[in-house]
Amino acid sequence: MSGRFKQAMALLIVSVFAAVSLPAFGEEAAEGAVQVHHIYLHVSPSESGQDVEVQVSVDSDTVKVVSDSDAVKIVEAEVAAVEDEAVVEQAAEAESEVVAPVAIESSIEEQPEAAQEIDEEEGVAVASACAVKDDEGQSGSMGLLFFVFVLAIFLGFELIAKVPSQLHTPLMSGSNAISGITIVGAIIATGLNIGDKSPLVVLLGGLAVLFAMINVVGGYLVTDRMLGMFKHKEGGQK
Amino acid sequence: MSMQGLIPYGYIIASVLFIYGLKMLSSARTARKGNLISALGMAIAMGATMAYAGMSYHWIIIGGLIGSAIGAFAAKLVKMTAMPEMVGLFNGFGGLASLLVGWAEYHGGRASLDLFTVIAIFCTIVIGGVTFSGSLIAYAKLAEKLDGKPVLFKGQQVLNGAILVGLVLGAVLFAIDPAGMYPLFVLMMIVSLILGVLLTIPIGGADMPVMIALLNSYSGLAACAAGFVIRNNVLIVAGSLVGASGLILTNIMCKAMNRSLANVMFAGVGATTSEGTGYKGEANPVSPSDAYLILEAADSVVFVPGYGMAVAQAQHVVRELADLLEANGTDVKFVIHPVAGRMPGHMNVLLAEANVPYEQLVVPEDVNPMMSTVDVSVVIGANDVVNPAARTDKGSPLYGMPIIDVDHAKTCIVLKRSLNPGFAGVGNPLFFNENTRMLFGDAKKSISAVVAEFKE
């Protein structure tokens, strides 16, 4: 690897956030997001021994590749998405002209990892990262939500089929407090990436947080207060 | 991975805790712990959400603190008699929060929404809107800020139907061009708020337990729809659990009245008060001292409380009377009809507040077969749930409703302010029975007078 050329030891740290985490649970990487197949980075020659960090972030339909360092410029970044077979092939062709194709093949089936290859002639570093999950994980996200919905409805019916009438009110106000779970949506709407948001969204989100918290805090406290009053004859409180 | 990677697991744990909490809430022994467990689940879900990278906290903290303070104060200060309207109000706020989340997601992302999200947003604002305005009306009716009588007008059903059709049409237009349809979006929010009002005003006071349970279910479904918008499983799981539990309660309430949900929603029983004049006869009034003599001689007494006890705040003196009777060697039971009061379990809460041990609280099915062996049944502000017409008179709007057979007891004392028909406006032949004694007046004063006799 050493050579007449200045060693371009560029360490590329490729982190692909969204596509890696379970798509069904992260709301960011849900259906509609780009499922990254490979990312090729062509990096300009750098000063010797330079470590370069490259951040790759995957948003709903764009992939951003950013280098923190001034010393190294990203000359070109090619991203191939899973859905788009043509892009994958094209990228692979273009790739083979520039560098050895080792990185491509080895990375396709691997779990997320970064590989690096330095072309000594041209001073181009190529990294390819693969964040391909099996198809289930991606196409399932919408279907999976429905699946969870139906299961939870059935679970709910099974769970509380029999309720003694003493507990009707506490069950109602307790479950009412649970419906305050919309607080999660309110928090995301209010605070996540606040810089990109219009003030109206933050205002709506903030109000949602306020009302959801009335529901959550009030609901749980009032239920607890009520249940605290239900006493056994012996005076024992359960 | 790190913190970000752990968020989904936080949501899984929260979902499990909700499931456990709800399960424990449906059993008397574990209910209080179950409530705490589900609160813990909520805390974990919130904590996990706060851990997202790129979260700014200031507005969340401001909104959260104000909301928590209001919620905590309301929960601490509310009187147990005001519990139905409080639960209704909290419920409405949950629906409103979901609506606002749907609106925020629409406003923020309207340029790039896929069809699935568009439909989910639509469902969120419609269900959230109906929950919010419906709960507000229910609150106003229960708190007697609005007349509790059903409001019916000509063409009400047609109007509701037209609104539903309009909402579906709106949904289609909205789905075709989500970004360009902002005015339509706002219009749909307003229409769903109106729909919530229209669905709730025809519900009479006696049918309120059904409506409250139904609105409870809606608030869960609204959260669930919001879960589809932001594609978050914990909202979907928690929301559908609440939706299911609300529907179960609604069903229990409907069964207790032997009516279908559609009948409760649209029939508006009691709107026509003319039905209430069907029964005439000679009532037998009784004084508190006579009532004392009857009770003092009894070996077994059942109390049947109703909304009138809540209105008169008589639960504490009733408990006092029950204690005196027990000390006198009398067997005392409280028979509680599932739809007595204005929300599911309303009477249980009041009696629990007055320290009546719940072993003394029994359900109608357990007492009715033995009612003929009971010496005295005391009806305190209940009416429809003890109306024998439900058993015998096919023409009565209550016909078929399972009732408490207080008329089968050897003597029945009815505490009532007057002979006016009850909330449902249905006449009650019980008042004119031979073995019925009417103790007229405010329930609290009457019972206090009887208690005073006992103490002498």
Side-chain angles (χ1 to χ4, degrees):
Chain A
M1 267 302 149
S2 62
R4 8 172 228 243
F5 205 83
K6 284 182 186 172
Q7 298 97 325
M9 294 296 289
L11 177 66
L12 304 176
I13 300 168
V14 179
S15 51
V16 181
F17 287 116
V20 177
S21 66
L22 292 170
F25 285 97
E27 83 294 333
E28 292 299 311
E31 196 266 343
V34 173
Q35 305 296 339
V36 176
H37 204 259
H38 347 347
I39 299 168
Y40 306 91
L41 298 178
H42 300 222
V43 183
S44 68
S46 88
E47 302 301 315
S48 60
Q50 194 93 40
D51 284 359
V52 182
E53 203 167 293
V54 179
Q55 288 283 338
V56 179
S57 61
V58 181
D59 222 340
S60 65
D61 53 3
T62 51
V63 178
K64 269 190 207 162
V65 184
V66 183
S67 165
D68 294 346
S69 165
D70 291 338
V72 173
K73 273 189 190 153
I74 295 167
V75 177
E76 200 183 343
E78 287 237 36
V79 177
V82 163
E83 294 91 5
D84 203 338
E85 284 301 323
V87 178
V88 176
E89 278 171 28
Q90 212 181 358
E93 261 174 46
E95 185 61 16
S96 60
E97 289 175 15
V98 187
V99 290
V102 192
I104 307 165
E105 275 163 29
S106 66
S107 61
I108 287 173
E109 274 133 359
E110 297 292 311
Q111 285 298 308
E113 68 173 45
Q116 60 155 2
E117 187 78 18
I118 314 296
D119 186 291
E120 287 150 29
E121 300 288 326
E122 314 241 342
V124 173
V126 175
S128 78
C130 170
V132 177
K133 303 280 287 181
D134 54 333
D135 285 345
E136 261 175 73
Q138 291 135 21
S139 62
S141 79
M142 194 207 295
L144 201 63
L145 292 174
F146 268 112
F147 184 65
V148 167
F149 170 64
V150 172
L151 279 188
I153 288 272
F154 271 92
L155 179 63
F157 279 126
E158 286 301 312
L159 206 58
I160 32 191
K162 285 193 195 112
V163 191
S165 59
Q166 281 97 332
L167 291 174
H168 284 169
T169 301
L171 177 70
M172 204 173 62
S173 74
S175 65
N176 184 21
I178 295 178
S179 75
I181 188 66
T182 200
I183 184 76
V184 167
I187 290 175
I188 290 172
T190 313
L192 196 62
N193 303 325
I194 201 165
D196 308 339
K197 283 181 172 160
S198 79
L200 179 64
V201 171
V202 178
L203 175 69
L204 291 172
L207 284 175
V209 169
L210 192 155
F211 285 112
M213 280 311 277
I214 295 181
N215 190 11
V216 168
V217 174
Y220 280 120
L221 285 181
V222 102
T223 309
D224 190 61
R225 192 177 145 203
M226 237 184 303
L227 289 169
M229 295 183 325
F230 287 118
K231 288 188 179 109
H232 287 273
K233 202 164 190 175
E234 294 73 39
Q237 197 174 301
K238 282 188 179 176
Chain B
M1 278 291 203
S2 74
M3 282 296 274
Q4 299 295 300
L6 291 176
I7 292 173
Y9 300 101
Y11 287 155
I12 293 174
I13 294 169
S15 303
V16 170
L17 291 177
F18 287 142
I19 292 169
Y20 261 100
L22 215 46
K23 168 110 190 132
M24 291 169 84
L25 257 183
S26 60
S27 157
R29 242 158 217 279
T30 52
R32 199 169 186 190
K33 214 193 239 170
N35 187 50
L36 291 179
I37 285 180
S38 107
L40 178 67
M42 186 65 74
I44 290 175
M46 285 164 57
T49 311
M50 301 283 249
Y52 273 115
M55 189 65 84
S56 346
Y57 298 104
H58 46 291
W59 292 114
I60 298 169
I61 291 173
I62 291 172
L65 282 181
I66 297 174
S68 305
I70 296 174
F73 273 110
K76 276 267 175 287
L77 298 179
V78 64
K79 285 192 180 142
M80 281 299 141
T81 40
M83 200 53 93
E85 50 261 42
M86 186 52 76
V87 171
L89 203 57
F90 283 158
N91 213 19
F93 289 154
L96 178 61
S98 294
L99 177 137
L100 291 170
V101 168
W103 188 359
E105 291 294 322
Y106 173 69
H107 188 88
R110 64 188 188 279
S112 59
L113 291 175
D114 58 280
L115 183 64
F116 179 80
T117 313
V118 168
I119 294 171
I121 286 179
F122 197 81
C123 292
T124 309
I125 60 155
V126 170
I127 305 174
V130 168
T131 309
F132 176 54
S133 61
S135 297
L136 278 192
I137 296 292
Y139 163 78
K141 282 191 166 203
L142 290 166
E144 293 178 343
K145 295 191 193 315
L146 270 184
D147 187 8
K149 281 228 186 306
V151 179
L152 292 174
F153 53 87
K154 232 182 174 181
Q156 196 161 14
Q157 252 73 290
V158 179
L159 181 60
N160 287 346
I163 285 182
L164 281 179
V165 172
L167 281 175
V168 172
L169 281 179
V172 173
L173 285 176
F174 188 55
I176 292 171
D177 179 17
M181 289 288 181
Y182 212 128
L184 179 75
F185 178 82
V186 175
L187 180 70
M188 289 294 122
M189 274 196 290
I190 295 169
V191 168
S192 46
L193 290 172
I194 294 172
L195 183 64
V197 173
L198 287 175
L199 286 177
T200 319
I201 50 170
I203 308 292
D207 291 342
M208 256 323 161
V210 179
M211 197 62 203
I212 292 272
L214 192 65
L215 287 169
N216 185 36
S217 173
Y218 286 171
S219 74
L221 293 178
C224 191
F228 279 104
V229 175
I230 62 167
R231 294 164 199 266
N232 188 309
N233 270 334
V234 74
L235 267 78
I236 294 176
V237 169
S240 34
L241 287 175
V242 176
S245 85
L247 275 183
I248 287 172
L249 271 181
T250 310
N251 192 35
I252 293 175
M253 296 300 120
C254 285
K255 268 193 188 152
M257 297 199 294
N258 193 36
R259 291 166 64 195
S260 70
L261 182 58
N263 184 278
V264 175
M265 294 289 291
F266 301 118
V269 165
T272 47
T273 40
S274 56
E275 288 171 291
T277 54
Y279 303 97
K280 285 267 188 278
E282 193 79 6
N284 300 312
V286 73
S287 69
S289 50
D290 293 340
Y292 157 71
L293 292 175
I294 299 169
L295 286 169
E296 202 266 335
D299 285 331
S300 57
V301 172
V302 297
F303 287 97
V304 179
Y307 184 56
M309 183 182 83
V311 173
Q313 305 251 25
Q315 66 272 24
H316 294 280
V317 282
V318 170
R319 205 283 318 261
E320 207 180 342
L321 178 60
D323 284 353
L324 288 169
L325 284 168
E326 278 214 306
N328 196 30
T330 312
D331 179 45
V332 179
K333 289 267 183 294
F334 290 84
V335 194
I336 294 174
H337 196 281
V339 293
R342 291 292 178 265
M343 70 173 169
H346 192 180
M347 292 301 117
N348 299 89
V349 173
L350 287 183
L351 292 172
E353 189 209 5
N355 282 325
V356 174
Y358 67 57
E359 285 85 352
Q360 274 189 352
L361 312 181
V362 291
V363 291
E365 302 91 273
D366 294 344
V367 173
N368 276 344
M370 305 179 306
M371 194 58 98
S372 54
T373 64
V374 171
D375 290 324
V376 186
S377 57
V378 184
V379 178
I380 307 163
N383 193 345
D384 297 338
V385 298
V386 294
N387 192 336
R391 274 198 322 259
T392 54
D393 182 358
K394 284 198 175 145
S396 168
L398 296 176
Y399 183 71
M401 170 172 164
I403 59 156
I404 302 170
D405 300 327
V406 288
D407 53 326
H408 290 178
K410 283 168 194 148
T411 309
C412 175
I413 299 177
V414 178
L415 284 88
K416 217 174 170 317
R417 270 178 287 198
S418 70
L419 280 177
N420 285 342
F423 214 101
V426 182
N428 194 339
L430 174 73
F431 305 153
F432 312 110
N433 268 359
E434 230 168 78
N435 63 347
T436 302
R437 298 289 176 272
M438 300 298 294
L439 183 48
F440 289 115
D442 176 74
K444 191 173 180 180
K445 281 186 190 143
S446 303
I447 302 260
S448 303
V450 176
V451 167
E453 293 276 342
F454 249 104
K455 284 181 174 165
E456 269 170 22

